[in-house]
Amino acid sequence: MRRIGFLLFDIPFKYLAVIPVFIIIIFRFIDTEIDPGMEDNGKKVYEIMENVPAGSKVLIITNFGPEAKYELEETLSAMVGYFAAKDAGIVFATLVPVGVESAFMAVERSIGNPDFIKERYLYGYDYVNIGYIGGGTVGAFLLSSNISDVRKKDIYGNELKALPIMNGIERFNDFAAVFEFSSRMIDGSPGMTLFSVLSGDENLAKAVICSSDMVPNYLPFHKSGSFEGFAGGFREIAGLTKVIDPSSDIWKRYYIMSMILEYILIIIVLSGIRRLVRGER
């Protein structure tokens, strides 16, 4: 039987595994009432969402794929539901190929939510996906300038100008706000920083929701004022999602993950202390 040194004892691995199982049972299957709350950065993202006028349109850039689904998809889904309730249209775009599917998965998830407010959420009227825009920085420049010149058709081949949702949308600053969901760099730079610099529009509200590994890449630009809203990492994302959609249980997954990681860290540290005490290498 495999044993792990823990302090001065050799404890069978199966006993150490009991605690993570116990954590999962408590937070996943028992109706506990622990809420992670929302950080100041997340509050700014939510404030931008609140300030989007009813009936206006927002641009959501889905620069993430399956590697960040666990962190970002539910928040994006909650945001879709939030804007649907405000009757605000959504234009999806992406600078990474897998981002097209990420947008559709979030929409399907939102529509499938029992609390989704709209009886009918129609493509072309309530939302549209203009698809993948290649070229990295060049694509970002084109998207942040004249959208009608970047794409003539959506991913289904429909003429964009013929879709009701695109009425009044020609340029980047025609949107009430721009949101980027990100887990990937674009030509070595965070996507939103490219849009911020290339668009030159300081009045357009911009927010980023990014995966934990992308926080160090975005944080300096957020502090320098390239974009106003910023929710980075699972902790901030969980808090933001819970406020957008109170029925979400993302906070449970956050606590499960964080407590198991803390438990593993404790095991590693105490095992190291044991080896040191025993003089082992």
Side-chain angles (χ1 to χ4, degrees), residues 29-225:
F29 301 108
I30 298 178
D31 189 20
T32 52
E33 293 295 333
I34 300 177
D35 192 323
M38 186 162 57
E39 301 287 332
D40 289 340
N41 286 338
K43 290 178 182 177
K44 185 59 181 179
V45 176
Y46 189 67
E47 179 183 319
I48 292 174
M49 294 175 63
E50 285 188 308
N51 289 337
V52 170
S56 60
K57 291 148 189 175
V58 299
L59 174 64
I60 297 182
I61 304 164
T62 54
N63 290 336
F64 74 96
E67 75 282 351
K69 177 178 179 178
Y70 189 83
E71 285 186 277
L72 300 179
E73 183 180 283
E74 186 167 349
T75 311
L76 177 55
S77 174
M79 187 176 287
V80 170
Y82 180 89
F83 286 129
K86 295 186 76 168
D87 201 28
I90 300 176
V91 176
F92 289 103
T94 180
L95 298 179
V96 297
V98 291
V100 176
E101 182 67 17
S102 297
F104 274 115
M105 292 295 290
V107 170
E108 290 299 316
R109 181 171 183 164
S110 186
I111 294 175
N113 188 331
D115 296 326
F116 191 74
I117 196 166
K118 278 200 168 187
E119 184 176 344
R120 300 180 68 191
Y121 194 60
L122 301 177
Y123 184 88
Y125 290 84
D126 299 301
Y127 74 102
V128 67
N129 195 325
I130 66 175
Y132 165 59
I133 300 171
T137 303
V138 175
F141 171 73
L142 294 172
L143 184 59
S144 61
S145 53
N146 195 328
I147 293 177
S148 61
D149 288 341
V150 181
R151 279 284 185 270
K152 300 296 183 182
K153 298 181 179 181
D154 67 1
I155 61 172
Y156 295 120
N158 301 309
E159 293 286 342
L160 287 177
K161 289 186 176 181
L163 299 178
I165 191 173
M166 296 302 293
N167 290 340
I169 299 296
E170 292 286 339
R171 304 182 62 81
F172 200 65
N173 55 12
D174 289 331
F175 293 102
V178 176
F179 301 87
E180 182 195 13
F181 285 77
S182 175
S183 68
R184 303 188 182 191
M185 301 283 275
I186 307 299
D187 283 351
S189 299
M192 187 59 81
T193 64
L194 296 176
F195 294 119
S196 179
V197 172
L198 295 172
S199 70
D201 189 344
E202 297 181 355
N203 297 319
L204 178 62
K206 297 176 284 292
V208 170
I209 299 90
C210 72
S211 57
S212 301
D213 59 318
M214 292 295 291
V215 172
N217 298 311
Y218 277 89
L219 192 57
F221 294 98
H222 170 58
K223 289 185 175 180
S224 66

Side-chain angles (χ1 to χ4, degrees), residues 250-263:
I250 190 173
W251 57 272
K252 289 187 177 182
R253 298 199 301 276
Y254 163 74
Y255 274 106
I256 289 172
M257 183 187 75
S258 61
M259 292 189 70
I260 290 177
L261 288 176
E262 289 175 7
Y263 173 69

